[in-house]
Amino acid sequence: MYLLIASDLDGTLLLPGDTFGAFTKSVIHSLNRAGHHIVLATGRHQTDVESLLDSQSPPVHLITANGARISSACGGLSLSAELSTAVVQTLLEEARADTDLTINLYCRSGWLMSREDENLKDFSQNPDFQPTLCATENLPLQAVQKVFFFQRSKDHDALLRLQARLEQRLGDQIGTVFTFPWCLEVMARDVSKGNALKQLAEFLNVPIKACIAFGDAMNDADMLAGVGKGVLMGNAHAELRQALPEAEIIGRCTDEAVAHYLSKHLLKSADRPA
């Protein structure tokens, strides 16, 4: 029995257009009534995720900013892991010299972006949570949960070189992950969805092996590998499939595959939505 159900959002639980499908909503409600804990684990900002929920949504736990923020449904657990001022300053120094980079910061107050970027339409489609433009020299150094870089020409090799420079300068002070080949994200050391889920499971007194998790990208890898069962989407990135070759692969996010899997395997027949 999986008591804790963790799912990524983009490419996993959400439909295109940043919406929850009707069947997915019904299954989440049924799982909640059956006593399961639901965790939304995402790279998005917490404010972004909260705007996708409404007054009819059941209680859910949130892991946001790739694990930099943890919020339990009851409010008893609220943690935030922020980058140090010195680390943020170094990240900005490295990026300023590259005119093909757009700098993004997730702060407590929201999302700051150094300039307009065409890649934004592929990154966020939520009209209720959009970035505030802020010149690079005015970007804050404090209360930063993560820094992420868009490579404007989508040159993955260029971001790999940036990743190597950052890791050389900052060593074990940071953790990095690609959410897209053209988007490199930087968080504080040991910040990840997997580590955040372990902290949440401990707070809820649920063994991590009693957790099932779903994902589609490399920022889901440690979460999927560390639970009782990690499940990949049919639309999962090739790198994730290679990293977890033994993981079960289900359908695509466009077919609400997570909800169908959970309905079939975790709900009793009488509790399954029509």
Side-chain angles (χ1 to χ4, degrees):
M1 167 70 78
Y2 296 112
L3 301 176
L4 191 60
I5 302 164
S7 180
D8 172 53
L9 289 180
D10 298 280
T12 305
L13 198 63
L14 290 178
L15 292 172
D18 288 4
T19 59
F20 292 98
F23 185 72
T24 295
K25 290 181 179 180
S26 295
V27 169
I28 290 175
H29 276 282
S30 296
L31 290 165
N32 178 256
R33 288 193 295 268
H36 297 277
H37 291 281
I38 310 297
V39 185
L40 304 182
T42 177
R44 291 174 180 245
H45 194 283
Q46 180 159 323
T47 303
D48 186 1
V49 180
E50 289 172 343
S51 75
L52 301 176
L53 305 172
D54 56 37
S55 59
Q56 303 302 313
S57 300
V60 293
H61 309 287
L62 300 181
I63 292 173
T64 54
N66 279 332
R69 183 84 185 270
I70 310 170
S71 297
S72 65
C74 68
L77 179 68
S78 180
L79 299 175
S80 182
E82 296 171 347
L83 291 159
S84 72
T85 298
V87 165
V88 175
Q89 185 168 9
T90 300
L91 294 173
L92 297 182
E93 287 173 357
E94 281 289 343
R96 283 191 185 110
D98 190 336
T99 58
D100 214 19
L101 286 178
T102 298
I103 306 170
N104 297 266
L105 272 63
Y106 274 2
C107 307
R108 292 179 204 166
S109 57
W111 175 9
L112 300 177
M113 188 176 185
S114 63
R115 61 181 173 184
E116 294 183 356
D117 194 312
E118 283 295 312
N119 290 321
L120 177 62
K121 67 180 185 300
D122 296 324
F123 187 83
S124 175
Q125 300 176 37
N126 182 3
D128 295 322
F129 187 77
Q130 291 293 301
T132 298
L133 293 180
C134 180
T136 303
E137 61 270 20
N138 295 327
L139 289 169
L141 302 179
Q142 297 179 327
V144 177
Q145 296 171 356
K146 74 173 183 179
V147 178
F148 53 108
F149 306 100
F150 293 162
Q151 218 291 332
R152 289 169 65 89
S153 57
K154 298 192 174 182
D155 184 346
H156 182 61
D157 289 337
L159 282 184
L160 286 173
R161 291 191 292 272
L162 173 63
Q163 182 186 40
R165 293 198 306 273
L166 295 177
E167 291 178 347
Q168 183 176 22
R169 287 193 65 179
L170 295 168
D172 61 4
Q173 297 180 72
I174 59 170
T176 61
V177 68
F178 285 94
T179 47
F180 297 95
W182 46 266
C183 179
L184 175 65
E185 306 206 356
V186 184
M187 291 78 62
R189 177 186 177 184
D190 295 331
V191 167
S192 70
K193 291 185 184 183
N195 285 337
L197 187 59
K198 289 176 184 176
Q199 291 177 273
L200 178 60
E202 183 177 354
F203 171 77
L204 297 171
N205 198 27
V206 175
I208 195 66
K209 293 303 180 182
C211 176
I212 185 171
F214 300 83
D216 75 309
M218 283 305 293
N219 61 332
D220 302 314
D222 76 320
M223 176 177 73
L224 297 170
V227 297
K229 185 175 181 65
V231 182
L232 275 58
M233 302 303 295
N235 48 274
H237 298 182
E239 295 84 356
L240 185 64
R241 292 176 182 242
Q242 293 169 4
L244 301 171
E246 303 301 320
E248 181 176 359
I249 299 175
I250 59 173
R252 305 177 70 84
C253 62
T254 50
D255 300 321
E256 298 185 79
V258 172
H260 284 284
Y261 184 96
L262 292 172
S263 177
K264 178 180 179 180
H265 294 282
L266 269 68
L267 291 176
K268 297 178 181 179
S269 298
D271 296 328
R272 292 172 187 163

